[in-house]
Amino acid sequence: MAQHPDDPAMSDRVRRVLEFEREWWGHSPAKERSIRGEFGWSPARYYQVLNTVVDDPIALEHDPVLVGRLREVRESRAERRRTRRPSAAAS
């Protein structure tokens, strides 16, 4: 059962990151500017926090569709990195 958005078990930071990600799905320069404005974090820090949020069981319970989609994207990117062939310049 999904938790109510005001559930005290879910931290404000988790809630804010999920709400932001719901609004700004994907990656763009405008999103990076919004990250700085909304959180005061660099985009790298935001994505570190987002990865922590994606692993949070409370976040999954709160918004299983969004968190599931974010997990799929993360796994897809990790798989591409694992299977990427080294460039000729790296040889």
Side-chain angles (χ1 to χ4, degrees), residues 39-81:
F39 300 100
W41 301 336
S42 70
R45 177 67 182 142
Y46 171 80
Y47 288 109
Q48 289 172 338
V49 171
L50 179 61
N51 273 315
T52 301
V53 167
V54 166
D55 291 331
D56 186 331
I58 293 173
L60 179 61
E61 187 174 330
H62 175 72
D63 195 335
V65 173
L66 176 63
V67 172
R69 190 175 347 142
L70 291 168
R71 287 178 175 182
E72 287 176 13
V73 168
R74 180 176 66 182
E75 182 55 35
S76 174
R77 288 179 180 155
E79 181 64 24
R80 281 197 306 266
R81 284 192 301 274

